[in-house]
């Protein structure tokens, strides 16, 4: 079974960096690894020293194992799903050319997150990888992302049509549902004959695909909760990050997602135990001592945050401390070393 590790957390804490680091660490153990980012930013490509990362797998040159990096393109993923599951080439083209489909696949809220789940599922099903590392966008969106499969499954049950039409015109679909010709006439004037025909054609074309979407959204729901899946919560160990990390943890627990532990990124190193005093100058000595004491207080504050996070986490949750190190994040080997500090 393909292992899935999801890095999540607030904005800018190091999710993408640690996702790249974990992927490199797994590859260095000889595993076949994919790292998928659903954050439409260049950061993954930069971290892995690649020119570009797109929807298709891009091989990262690693001495051992195999590492493919990819960045989700929701529209392309949706198009591929339609192509794969349409009953005929004509049916496929009717959907892909449909104006309403273009709106749905490019701009409908939640589609990006949902396509990320579809992609994750198909990567797992391909059996090409031992491990998949999923890098999520900052927290606000990550919550949508966690809810996406449930939302999608629910929509299939309720009748997805009502939902899909809502962004275009709240209440619009109800009017059509009620079958009132007068109201339909008003709508036609509001939306235009073309739009209504597009919507009707879209739903007709999609009829045979809904079942598959529903099934896969349920499968993703299971996949996210499988014993082979681990969520890691990336955070800085600063007291100011505590509340946000706890809020995130609460969401993971509420949704019963398997939580492996915290990655405490950019930890300050403790001061050295012994100092080879370079000077006997009392003022300089006092200044150095004050600096060391400040560093110790910083480390103590960090450790208090970590203890507090662990106290709120389910039993067995771990805490991995990663140093703040520009040199570690600026090379593949440095990143792999960072990733090996995390025991997932
Ligand atoms: N341990 C570290 N030491 C030094 N720099 C780091 C470390 N971890 C991350 N960084 C730097 O911090 C910045 C933010 O990291 P990253 O992009 O991974 O965060 P993110 O959580 O993915 O951000 P976003 O929420 O915007 O997606 C980057 O410039 C990265 O190089
Ligand atoms: Mg990121």
């Amino acid at each position: 079974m393909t292992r899935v590790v999801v890095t999540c957390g607030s904005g800018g804490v190091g999710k993408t960096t640690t996702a790249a680091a974990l992927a490199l660490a797994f590859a260095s153990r000889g595993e076949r690894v994919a790292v998928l980012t659903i954050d439409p930013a260049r950061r993954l490509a930069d971290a892995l020293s690649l020119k570009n990362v797109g929807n298709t797998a891009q091989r990262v040159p690693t001495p051992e194992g195999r590492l493919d990096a990819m960045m989700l393109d929701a529209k392309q993923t949706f198009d591929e799903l339609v192509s794969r599951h349409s009953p005929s080439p004509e049916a496929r083209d009717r959907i892909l050319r449909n104006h309403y489909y273009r709106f749905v696949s490019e701009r409908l809220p939640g589609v990006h997150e949902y396509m990320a789940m579809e992609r994750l599922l198909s990567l797992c099903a391909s059996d090409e990888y031992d491990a998949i590392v999923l890098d999520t966008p900052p927290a606000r969106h990550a919550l949508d992302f966690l809810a996406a499969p449930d939302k999608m499954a629910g929509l299939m049950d309720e009748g997805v049509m009502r939902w899909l039409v809502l962004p275009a015109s709240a209440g619009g679909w109800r009017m059509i549902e009620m079958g009132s010709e007068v109201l339909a006439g008003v709508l036609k004037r509001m939306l235009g004959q073309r739009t209504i025909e597009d919507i009707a054609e879209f739903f007709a074309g999609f009829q045979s695909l809904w079942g598959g979407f529903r099934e896969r959204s349920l499968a993703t729901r299971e996949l996210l909760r499988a014993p082979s899946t681990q969520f890691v919560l990336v955070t800085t160990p600063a007291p100011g990050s505590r509340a946000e990390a706890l809020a995130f943890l609460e969401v993971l627990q509420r949704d019963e997602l398997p939580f492996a532990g915290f990655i405490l990124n950019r930890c300050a190193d403790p001061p050295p135990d012994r100092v080879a005093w370079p000077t006997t100058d009392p003022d300089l000595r006092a200044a150095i001592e004050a600096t060391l004491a400040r560093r110790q207080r910083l480390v103590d504050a960090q450790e208090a945050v970590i203890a507090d996070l662990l106290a709120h986490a389910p039993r067995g949750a771990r805490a991995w401390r990663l140093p703040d190190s520009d040199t570690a994040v600026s090379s593949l080997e440095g990143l792999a070393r960072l990733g090996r500090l995390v025991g997932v």
Side-chain angles (χ1 to χ4, degrees):
M1 183 122 189
T2 311
R3 212 149 59 87
V4 176
V5 178
V6 186
T7 60
C8 51
S10 318
V13 290
K15 297 176 294 296
T16 305
T17 305
T18 47
L22 285 173
L24 282 162
F26 296 162
S28 76
R29 298 201 298 239
E31 291 183 47
R32 300 166 304 156
V33 190
V35 54
L36 169 68
T37 184
I38 56 177
D39 188 3
R42 276 201 47 84
R43 194 44 217 135
L44 183 68
D46 290 343
L48 295 171
S49 317
L50 295 171
K51 265 211 206 82
N52 252 316
V53 172
N55 203 46
T56 47
Q58 170 115 13
R59 187 64 48 88
V60 181
T62 51
E64 296 93 17
R66 201 181 84 194
L67 176 56
D68 287 339
M70 45 206 105
M71 181 170 89
L72 179 80
D73 180 328
K75 160 101 178 110
Q76 207 175 322
T77 305
F78 211 152
D79 288 356
E80 280 165 17
L81 279 171
V82 168
S83 301
R84 191 171 332 133
H85 298 291
S86 285
S88 68
E90 295 74 34
R92 172 199 66 202
D93 293 345
R94 255 200 313 280
I95 295 176
L96 293 183
R97 275 202 303 263
N98 182 278
H99 282 88
Y100 193 66
Y101 168 72
R102 286 195 201 153
F103 162 75
V104 167
S105 59
E106 283 171 27
R107 300 216 309 274
L108 194 73
V111 157
H112 193 82
E113 289 79 5
Y114 180 67
M115 284 304 136
M117 297 295 92
E118 285 271 5
R119 192 71 200 277
L120 178 66
L121 194 66
S122 84
L123 285 174
C124 282
S126 76
D127 256 347
E128 272 189 57
Y129 299 103
D130 302 310
I132 297 169
V133 184
L134 182 69
D135 168 40
T136 64
R140 196 161 46 85
H141 302 292
L143 304 185
D144 299 347
F145 136 76
L146 294 174
D150 287 348
K151 221 191 278 176
M152 204 69 176
L155 290 169
M156 300 299 155
D157 289 336
E158 282 167 23
V160 73
M161 301 181 185
R162 214 168 301 155
W163 178 65
L164 286 176
V165 175
L166 273 179
S169 138
W173 189 256
R174 274 206 70 70
M175 289 195 250
I176 299 175
E177 254 186 351
M178 291 186 306
S180 155
E181 279 178 29
V182 181
L183 287 176
V186 172
L187 258 184
K188 251 181 226 170
R189 278 200 299 281
M190 265 164 48
L191 300 175
Q193 177 68 26
R194 179 73 194 275
T195 312
I196 293 191
E197 276 166 16
D198 276 342
I199 293 174
E201 188 194 54
F202 170 78
F203 286 114
F206 243 77
Q207 209 90 92
S208 59
L209 303 183
W210 289 134
F213 273 88
R214 182 165 196 287
E215 246 168 56
R216 289 192 303 279
S217 57
L218 290 174
T220 325
R221 200 182 182 287
E222 263 175 43
L223 172 67
L224 289 178
R225 289 161 180 84
S228 50
T229 297
Q230 291 172 294
F231 280 76
V232 290
L233 183 43
V234 186
T235 180
T236 58
S241 308
R242 175 188 166 277
E244 247 182 294
L246 285 178
F248 214 92
L249 179 66
E250 214 175 284
V251 173
L252 292 177
Q253 285 183 282
R254 185 198 63 202
D255 291 351
E256 295 172 343
L257 294 159
F259 180 64
F262 302 94
I263 293 185
L264 286 313
N265 193 24
R266 315 191 80 156
C267 286
D269 287 331
D273 286 342
R274 278 209 241 148
V275 179
W277 295 105
T279 173
T280 51
D281 177 341
D283 288 347
L284 195 52
R285 252 185 107 120
I288 294 172
E289 266 166 6
T291 305
L292 295 178
R294 248 198 323 275
R295 171 60 68 98
Q296 187 59 54
R297 279 198 299 278
L298 183 62
V299 171
D300 291 345
Q302 269 179 196
E303 288 306 314
V305 170
I306 297 171
D308 188 35
L309 290 178
L310 283 173
H312 284 84
R315 206 156 359 137
R318 305 274 310 274
W320 295 285
R321 295 161 181 77
L322 300 187
D324 188 0
S325 157
D326 283 340
T327 48
V329 301
S330 60
S331 72
L332 294 187
E333 184 36 45
L335 266 180
R337 240 180 291 124
L338 210 62
R340 283 194 286 268
L341 295 174
V342 182
V344 289

